[in-house]
Amino acid sequence: MPYNDYGRWIRQRLGMRMQKLPVNAGFSCPNRDGRLSKHGCSFCDNSSFTPSYCQPDASITEQLEAGKRFFSRKYPDAGYLAYFQSFTNTYADTAILRDRYEEALAVEGIRGLVISTRPDCLSTSCLDYLESLSRRTFLTVEIGIESMNDSTLMRMNRQHDSSCVRDAAEALSSRGIITCGHVILGLPQESGEEMLRQATMVSRLPIQILKIHQLQVLKGTALARDWERGDFQVSSSDEYLSLLAQYICRLRSDLVLERFFSSSPIHMVIAPRWDLRPQLLSKRLTNLMREKGWHQGIFADIGTTG
C-alpha cells in the first residue's frame, strides 16, 4: 500500500474492523445559531452526510441500535464506534456532552467514540473531560481544517483562521487525545500549487489521522450560487486523482489517511458528477501511485511528529 491506511491502523489498535455509526445528538453550530454567523460554511449541508436513521427526535441509543441493524448484514464481524457527526459536537456545556457521550458508550457493542467538531469549540472543561474519556475508551476527536489558507477560510465563511486550527490540534495533542483533521481539496481560488503547499502545513500539525475530500457543490448552499454564476470550476476525477497522489506524497509518512473521497447523495450534488464509487477511485489512486513509484512522504520536507 503506497499510503498509511486507516483500516489497517484501526484493526491493529482494536483487533477488528470498526464501523462508524453516525449519531445526530441535537447539537447546533456557532456558525449557524448566530454566535458567529447564521449562514454556515458556504459548502456545508449536514443532511448530505447524515443517514436517515439519525433523527434528532430519536434518542442516541435508538439511533445507534438502528445503525447496528443497518450495518450488521454488510459487516457482520465489525465492531462499532459511535460517530457524533452532525453539526458541532462539542458545542454545549460539558455536563450535556458527558450525558450524551456516556449514553452512547452504554450501548452494547460500542467500542469507542469519534467526535466531530470545529477547532474553535474546545473549551478547557471540554478538553479536561475528553482527556479523562480517552483514558478509558477509544476516542478520536475530528476537527474541521478544510484549508490552511486564511483567505480561503474567510471566503468559505468558516469564521476561524489557521492559527485556531493549530491551537486546537496542540491542545488535544498535549492531552494525549487522538486527533483527526479534515481537509477539502479544490476549494475556490486555490491553485494546485497552493493545495500542495498546504500538505506540508497539515503535516506539521500534531494530528494522527487525516481525512481528505474532493470539493462537492451541494444544492442550496452558498457555494452552489457561486458555481451557478461561473465563479469557479471543479476537477475531473483524473485531475483530482493526480492532485491527490501528489498531495499524499507531501504528507509525513506516519500520518494515517482515513478517507480520500466524499460521496454525498447524488440527488444533492450539482458538481462534480463523477458517478464513480469511492472504492473504484481508491483503487485507481493506488494504481496511479504504484505506476509512478510514489508513496506517502516521498516528497515530504519535514520529519515525523508521531
Side-chain angles (χ1 to χ4, degrees):
M1 185 69 70
Y3 48 82
N4 196 2
D5 178 61
Y6 177 82
R8 181 175 58 227
W9 178 85
I10 199 72
R11 285 191 296 272
Q12 289 172 344
R13 282 192 167 250
L14 296 178
M16 64 177 71
R17 175 193 173 94
M18 301 304 295
Q19 177 61 48
K20 293 181 183 179
L21 302 180
V23 171
N24 185 338
F27 293 115
S28 183
C29 175
N31 210 12
R32 289 183 178 274
D33 70 2
R35 196 191 90 182
L36 298 176
S37 167
K38 292 186 177 181
H39 304 294
C41 304
S42 67
F43 50 78
C44 183
D45 184 338
N46 267 264
S47 63
S48 69
F49 51 79
T50 304
S52 58
Y53 64 78
C54 291
Q55 299 300 321
D57 57 345
S59 71
I60 289 170
T61 300
E62 290 169 338
Q63 291 180 55
L64 289 173
E65 292 293 352
K68 286 159 59 178
R69 291 192 296 271
F70 182 84
F71 286 106
S72 61
R73 292 182 181 179
K74 187 174 183 181
Y75 304 118
D77 299 324
Y80 297 109
L81 300 172
Y83 185 16
F84 287 79
Q85 182 181 25
S86 299
F87 297 100
T88 304
N89 291 279
T90 58
Y91 185 49
D93 290 340
T94 303
I96 294 173
L97 302 179
R98 182 181 291 107
D99 287 346
R100 296 181 190 180
Y101 299 163
E102 298 294 346
E103 180 182 350
L105 288 170
V107 174
E108 184 178 356
I110 298 300
R111 298 283 301 276
L113 306 178
V114 179
I115 298 170
S116 177
T117 192
R118 289 170 55 92
D120 55 357
C121 290
L122 291 164
S123 68
T124 299
S125 62
C126 173
L127 288 165
D128 289 343
Y129 171 60
L130 292 175
E131 181 179 5
S132 67
L133 194 60
S134 70
R135 291 174 178 168
R136 60 184 176 89
T137 191
F138 178 85
L139 172 68
T140 299
V141 175
E142 181 179 303
I143 55 174
I145 299 171
E146 318 314 355
S147 174
M148 292 297 289
N149 185 318
D150 287 345
S151 60
T152 299
L153 293 173
M154 183 178 296
R155 285 194 298 272
M156 297 298 101
N157 195 43
R158 281 292 291 175
Q159 299 292 328
H160 68 75
D161 60 14
S162 57
S163 65
C164 179
V165 171
R166 293 188 191 94
D167 290 345
E170 289 169 1
L172 290 162
S173 175
S174 69
R175 294 167 183 267
I177 298 168
I178 298 171
T179 307
C180 173
H182 179 281
V183 298
I184 300 174
L185 298 185
L187 289 167
Q189 299 184 37
E190 287 195 350
S191 66
E193 291 78 10
E194 165 62 19
M195 286 180 270
L196 295 178
R197 181 184 71 86
Q198 292 184 46
T200 298
M201 301 170 71
V202 169
S203 282
R204 288 181 176 140
L205 297 172
I207 61 176
Q208 292 76 43
I209 307 168
L210 184 66
K211 292 170 68 172
I212 310 168
H213 288 172
Q214 84 279 19
L215 178 67
Q216 287 194 307
V217 182
L218 303 177
K219 294 178 182 178
T221 61
L223 194 68
R225 294 191 289 273
D226 294 341
W227 163 260
E228 289 162 357
R229 288 197 299 265
D231 290 352
F232 67 95
Q233 300 293 318
V234 295
S235 301
S236 68
S237 60
D238 286 342
E239 289 169 337
Y240 178 72
L241 286 170
S242 176
L243 173 68
L244 177 61
Q246 296 175 71
Y247 188 94
I248 292 170
C249 288
R250 287 162 173 78
L251 295 172
R252 67 175 203 262
S253 60
D254 67 329
L255 191 56
V256 177
L257 304 185
E258 182 174 352
R259 291 190 67 182
F260 302 119
F261 309 101
S262 180
S263 52
S264 300
I266 193 64
H267 70 275
M268 300 184 69
V269 179
I270 297 176
R273 298 293 293 266
W274 294 343
D275 297 328
L276 296 169
R277 291 182 178 274
Q279 295 89 337
L280 176 59
L281 290 165
S282 293
K283 184 176 180 179
R284 287 174 56 187
L285 171 66
T286 299
N287 290 340
L288 172 62
M289 294 185 71
R290 284 175 173 163
E291 289 168 4
K292 296 280 191 180
W294 290 350
H295 58 80
Q296 182 178 339
I298 191 173
F299 303 140
D301 62 1
I302 63 171
T304 62
T305 60

